[in-house]
Short mmCIF file of all heavy atoms in Angstrom, two decimals:
data_model
loop_
_atom_site.label_atom_id
_atom_site.label_comp_id
_atom_site.label_asym_id
_atom_site.label_seq_id
_atom_site.Cartn_x
_atom_site.Cartn_y
_atom_site.Cartn_z
N GLY A 8 -5.07 21.80 -35.45
CA GLY A 8 -5.19 20.46 -35.87
C GLY A 8 -5.01 20.30 -37.43
O GLY A 8 -4.85 21.28 -38.10
N PHE A 9 -4.98 19.08 -37.84
CA PHE A 9 -4.69 18.81 -39.24
C PHE A 9 -5.72 19.28 -40.21
O PHE A 9 -6.92 19.44 -39.84
CB PHE A 9 -4.44 17.31 -39.43
CG PHE A 9 -3.63 16.93 -40.60
CD1 PHE A 9 -2.28 17.30 -40.68
CD2 PHE A 9 -4.14 16.29 -41.77
CE1 PHE A 9 -1.53 17.03 -41.84
CE2 PHE A 9 -3.41 16.04 -42.87
CZ PHE A 9 -2.07 16.34 -42.93
N MET A 10 -5.33 19.51 -41.45
CA MET A 10 -6.26 19.95 -42.51
C MET A 10 -7.50 18.99 -42.52
O MET A 10 -7.30 17.76 -42.44
CB MET A 10 -5.59 19.79 -43.85
CG MET A 10 -4.47 20.76 -44.12
SD MET A 10 -3.68 20.35 -45.72
CE MET A 10 -2.33 19.30 -45.22
N GLY A 11 -8.67 19.55 -42.61
CA GLY A 11 -9.84 18.78 -42.79
C GLY A 11 -10.45 18.17 -41.54
O GLY A 11 -11.41 17.39 -41.54
N LYS A 14 -12.00 22.23 -38.06
CA LYS A 14 -11.75 23.41 -37.16
C LYS A 14 -12.68 24.50 -37.45
O LYS A 14 -13.31 25.10 -36.54
CB LYS A 14 -10.30 23.91 -37.37
CG LYS A 14 -9.21 22.93 -36.83
CD LYS A 14 -7.85 23.22 -37.45
CE LYS A 14 -7.84 22.94 -38.91
NZ LYS A 14 -6.55 22.96 -39.61
N ASP A 31 -11.14 33.11 -38.56
CA ASP A 31 -10.33 32.03 -39.21
C ASP A 31 -9.04 32.61 -39.82
O ASP A 31 -9.07 33.64 -40.50
CB ASP A 31 -11.17 31.38 -40.32
CG ASP A 31 -10.35 30.24 -41.01
OD1 ASP A 31 -10.42 29.13 -40.46
OD2 ASP A 31 -9.72 30.46 -42.04
N THR A 32 -7.91 31.99 -39.45
CA THR A 32 -6.59 32.61 -39.83
C THR A 32 -6.41 32.61 -41.38
O THR A 32 -5.86 33.57 -41.94
CB THR A 32 -5.40 31.89 -39.17
OG1 THR A 32 -5.36 30.51 -39.56
CG2 THR A 32 -5.52 32.02 -37.67
N ASP A 33 -6.92 31.57 -42.07
CA ASP A 33 -6.74 31.56 -43.53
C ASP A 33 -7.60 32.68 -44.13
O ASP A 33 -7.19 33.31 -45.11
CB ASP A 33 -7.18 30.23 -44.11
CG ASP A 33 -6.10 29.17 -43.98
OD1 ASP A 33 -4.92 29.54 -43.70
OD2 ASP A 33 -6.41 28.01 -44.23
N ILE A 44 -5.50 31.28 -50.64
CA ILE A 44 -4.38 30.60 -50.04
C ILE A 44 -3.59 29.83 -51.18
O ILE A 44 -2.39 29.93 -51.27
CB ILE A 44 -4.82 29.59 -49.01
CG1 ILE A 44 -5.56 30.34 -47.87
CG2 ILE A 44 -3.65 28.79 -48.48
CD1 ILE A 44 -4.77 31.30 -47.04
N PHE A 48 0.41 30.29 -52.21
CA PHE A 48 1.43 29.18 -52.28
C PHE A 48 2.02 29.16 -53.62
O PHE A 48 3.26 29.00 -53.83
CB PHE A 48 0.74 27.85 -51.95
CG PHE A 48 0.83 27.45 -50.49
CD1 PHE A 48 0.02 27.98 -49.57
CD2 PHE A 48 1.69 26.41 -50.09
CE1 PHE A 48 0.04 27.58 -48.23
CE2 PHE A 48 1.79 26.07 -48.75
CZ PHE A 48 0.90 26.59 -47.82
N GLU A 53 5.57 28.50 -49.87
CA GLU A 53 5.12 28.19 -48.48
C GLU A 53 5.79 29.10 -47.44
O GLU A 53 5.16 29.52 -46.50
CB GLU A 53 5.40 26.70 -48.18
CG GLU A 53 4.92 26.36 -46.73
CD GLU A 53 5.01 24.87 -46.44
OE1 GLU A 53 5.27 24.10 -47.33
OE2 GLU A 53 4.86 24.59 -45.25
N PHE A 56 3.98 32.25 -47.10
CA PHE A 56 2.71 31.98 -46.41
C PHE A 56 2.92 31.92 -44.89
O PHE A 56 2.14 32.41 -44.12
CB PHE A 56 2.05 30.73 -46.96
CG PHE A 56 0.79 30.30 -46.26
CD1 PHE A 56 -0.36 31.11 -46.46
CD2 PHE A 56 0.77 29.32 -45.36
CE1 PHE A 56 -1.54 30.75 -45.80
CE2 PHE A 56 -0.40 28.98 -44.70
CZ PHE A 56 -1.54 29.69 -44.89
N ARG A 57 4.01 31.17 -44.49
CA ARG A 57 4.27 31.05 -43.08
C ARG A 57 4.52 32.41 -42.40
O ARG A 57 4.19 32.61 -41.27
CB ARG A 57 5.42 30.08 -42.82
CG ARG A 57 5.17 28.64 -43.31
CD ARG A 57 3.94 28.00 -42.68
NE ARG A 57 3.66 26.73 -43.33
CZ ARG A 57 2.46 26.14 -43.37
NH1 ARG A 57 1.46 26.69 -42.71
NH2 ARG A 57 2.25 24.98 -43.95
N GLU A 60 1.32 33.89 -41.70
CA GLU A 60 0.71 33.31 -40.54
C GLU A 60 1.25 33.96 -39.30
O GLU A 60 0.52 34.26 -38.35
CB GLU A 60 0.91 31.82 -40.50
CG GLU A 60 0.09 31.08 -41.56
CD GLU A 60 0.09 29.58 -41.39
OE1 GLU A 60 1.12 28.98 -41.15
OE2 GLU A 60 -1.03 28.94 -41.44
N THR A 78 -7.70 27.77 -37.18
CA THR A 78 -6.42 28.12 -37.73
C THR A 78 -6.15 27.12 -38.94
O THR A 78 -6.66 26.01 -38.96
CB THR A 78 -5.29 27.89 -36.64
OG1 THR A 78 -5.30 26.54 -36.25
CG2 THR A 78 -5.52 28.77 -35.50
N GLY A 79 -5.23 27.49 -39.79
CA GLY A 79 -4.71 26.57 -40.81
C GLY A 79 -3.91 25.50 -40.15
O GLY A 79 -3.40 25.71 -39.05
N GLY A 80 -3.77 24.35 -40.85
CA GLY A 80 -3.11 23.23 -40.21
C GLY A 80 -1.68 23.39 -39.77
O GLY A 80 -1.16 22.64 -38.96
N GLY A 81 -1.01 24.46 -40.33
CA GLY A 81 0.38 24.67 -39.95
C GLY A 81 0.58 25.87 -39.03
O GLY A 81 1.66 26.22 -38.68
N PHE A 82 -0.53 26.47 -38.69
CA PHE A 82 -0.44 27.72 -37.90
C PHE A 82 0.16 27.52 -36.51
O PHE A 82 0.72 28.44 -35.89
CB PHE A 82 -1.91 28.36 -37.78
CG PHE A 82 -1.98 29.71 -37.14
CD1 PHE A 82 -1.76 30.83 -37.89
CD2 PHE A 82 -2.21 29.80 -35.76
CE1 PHE A 82 -1.82 32.04 -37.32
CE2 PHE A 82 -2.25 31.11 -35.21
CZ PHE A 82 -2.07 32.21 -36.00
N LYS A 120 -8.26 23.36 -52.91
CA LYS A 120 -7.81 24.57 -52.27
C LYS A 120 -6.70 24.35 -51.24
O LYS A 120 -6.21 25.28 -50.58
CB LYS A 120 -9.06 25.19 -51.61
CG LYS A 120 -9.59 24.54 -50.34
CD LYS A 120 -10.64 25.45 -49.66
CE LYS A 120 -10.82 25.05 -48.19
NZ LYS A 120 -11.71 25.79 -47.49
N ARG A 121 -6.34 23.10 -51.01
CA ARG A 121 -5.28 22.81 -50.03
C ARG A 121 -4.00 22.27 -50.73
O ARG A 121 -3.84 21.09 -51.01
CB ARG A 121 -5.81 21.70 -49.09
CG ARG A 121 -6.94 22.20 -48.16
CD ARG A 121 -7.38 21.15 -47.21
NE ARG A 121 -8.14 21.73 -46.13
CZ ARG A 121 -9.50 21.73 -46.05
NH1 ARG A 121 -10.22 21.14 -47.01
NH2 ARG A 121 -10.09 22.28 -45.04
N PRO A 122 -3.04 23.23 -50.93
CA PRO A 122 -1.78 22.84 -51.69
C PRO A 122 -1.04 21.67 -51.00
O PRO A 122 -0.29 20.95 -51.74
CB PRO A 122 -1.00 24.10 -51.72
CG PRO A 122 -1.82 25.19 -51.13
CD PRO A 122 -3.05 24.63 -50.53
N LEU A 123 -1.16 21.54 -49.69
CA LEU A 123 -0.38 20.46 -49.08
C LEU A 123 -1.10 19.17 -48.93
O LEU A 123 -0.61 18.18 -48.41
CB LEU A 123 0.15 20.96 -47.64
CG LEU A 123 1.00 22.20 -47.69
CD1 LEU A 123 1.42 22.56 -46.27
CD2 LEU A 123 2.23 21.95 -48.52
N LEU A 133 2.93 14.10 -43.62
CA LEU A 133 2.85 15.43 -42.96
C LEU A 133 2.09 15.23 -41.63
O LEU A 133 2.51 15.80 -40.59
CB LEU A 133 2.12 16.42 -43.85
CG LEU A 133 2.12 17.88 -43.44
CD1 LEU A 133 3.55 18.42 -43.39
CD2 LEU A 133 1.28 18.74 -44.42
N ARG A 137 3.48 15.91 -37.79
CA ARG A 137 2.88 16.99 -37.01
C ARG A 137 2.13 16.49 -35.76
O ARG A 137 2.01 17.24 -34.77
CB ARG A 137 1.88 17.73 -37.85
CG ARG A 137 2.54 18.71 -38.85
CD ARG A 137 1.46 19.45 -39.59
NE ARG A 137 2.00 20.45 -40.49
CZ ARG A 137 1.23 21.13 -41.34
NH1 ARG A 137 -0.07 20.87 -41.39
NH2 ARG A 137 1.75 22.01 -42.17
N TYR A 141 1.47 18.87 -32.49
CA TYR A 141 0.15 19.44 -32.06
C TYR A 141 -0.07 19.11 -30.61
O TYR A 141 -0.54 19.94 -29.82
CB TYR A 141 -1.00 18.78 -32.85
CG TYR A 141 -1.13 19.18 -34.33
CD1 TYR A 141 -1.28 18.18 -35.29
CD2 TYR A 141 -1.19 20.52 -34.73
CE1 TYR A 141 -1.46 18.56 -36.63
CE2 TYR A 141 -1.33 20.85 -36.10
CZ TYR A 141 -1.46 19.85 -36.99
OH TYR A 141 -1.64 20.15 -38.35
C1 S3P B 1 -2.21 24.17 -44.29
C2 S3P B 1 -3.53 24.08 -43.96
C3 S3P B 1 -4.54 24.89 -44.65
C4 S3P B 1 -4.00 26.22 -45.15
C5 S3P B 1 -2.75 25.95 -46.01
C6 S3P B 1 -1.65 25.17 -45.21
C7 S3P B 1 -1.19 23.31 -43.53
O1 S3P B 1 -5.64 25.11 -43.74
O2 S3P B 1 -3.61 27.03 -44.00
O3 S3P B 1 -3.19 25.28 -47.11
O4 S3P B 1 0.01 23.61 -43.55
O5 S3P B 1 -1.66 22.32 -42.98
P1 S3P B 1 -6.70 23.97 -43.27
O6 S3P B 1 -6.08 23.27 -42.08
O7 S3P B 1 -7.92 24.74 -42.92
O8 S3P B 1 -6.89 23.07 -44.43
#
Side-chain angles (χ1 to χ4, degrees):
F9 202 67
M10 291 175 269
K14 293 162 291 189
D31 180 84
T32 61
D33 280 347
I44 302 297
F48 266 77
E53 181 174 349
F56 176 74
R57 299 301 171 203
E60 288 193 313
T78 63
F82 186 85
K120 74 170 200 178
R121 294 183 162 100
L123 298 180
L133 190 61
R137 285 181 177 175
Y141 289 129

